[in-house]
Amino acid sequence: MSESDPGFVAALEEAKAGFAEGGVPIGACLVSRDGSILGRGHNMRIQKGSATLHAEISALENTGRLPANAYEGATMYTSLSPCEMCSGACILYKVKRVVVGENKTFVGGEEHLRRKGIEVVVLENEECKALMARFIAEKPNVW
């Protein structure tokens, strides 16, 4: 797993799109076990006034309804450590790996994912860290 993986590139693009829209710059991308992108999305809590539309949930929503076996063995790429809700969604859909851009700004349900047998890879991507730092500096009341 690396920063050049198409899934991570897509997640970072989504984070940047969210930032450009004035939202929380977190992006995600779900990639099937065969390497094809199933869906991608970004945090839309500010844009849609939503309590639950986090990046990973957005990616799942944009994936659409698929047979359960389409999710099994997939990888969820996310620019920031997934919260407990999004970690639970990964567990529910039998994702096998979660690749995290960075977890210095926030550490979510990584240990819970590991306890459930899901591989967690943290890239410590500098661009993800910088994007979150800029957002927090510019909009501390939102974060």
Side-chain angles (χ1 to χ4, degrees):
M1 301 291 93
S2 77
E3 296 174 3
S4 62
D5 289 356
F8 180 71
V9 170
L12 185 53
E13 287 172 356
E14 289 290 335
K16 291 175 185 176
F19 185 82
E21 294 170 1
V24 183
I26 304 169
C29 181
L30 184 64
V31 176
S32 72
R33 66 182 156 268
D34 72 5
S36 60
I37 291 178
L38 296 173
R40 52 190 276 175
H42 54 272
N43 186 299
M44 297 289 289
R45 291 180 61 221
I46 293 171
Q47 298 92 315
K48 295 204 174 191
S50 171
T52 59
L53 204 46
H54 293 193
E56 299 85 352
I57 302 302
S58 179
L60 285 164
E61 179 71 17
N62 292 331
T63 296
R65 186 180 169 102
L66 299 175
N69 67 351
Y71 302 99
E72 288 183 36
T75 298
M76 178 67 80
Y77 290 85
T78 182
S79 62
L80 185 68
S81 183
C83 74
E84 293 290 341
M85 175 181 70
C86 295
S87 294
C90 289
I91 293 164
L92 176 68
Y93 286 100
K94 297 180 174 44
V95 167
K96 78 169 183 179
R97 180 184 305 113
V98 176
V99 178
V100 176
E102 69 104 341
N103 66 358
K104 296 302 181 211
T105 304
F106 173 81
V107 178
E110 293 177 21
E111 285 307 313
H112 186 58
L113 289 166
R114 288 183 182 104
R115 280 193 302 274
K116 291 292 190 175
I118 296 172
E119 179 186 4
V120 177
V121 177
V122 181
L123 299 176
E124 295 300 347
N125 178 271
E126 294 303 321
E127 197 169 0
C128 290
K129 291 178 195 177
L131 195 57
M132 286 304 300
R134 182 175 169 202
F135 175 77
I136 293 167
E138 292 178 9
K139 297 184 178 188
N141 59 324
V142 176
W143 179 246

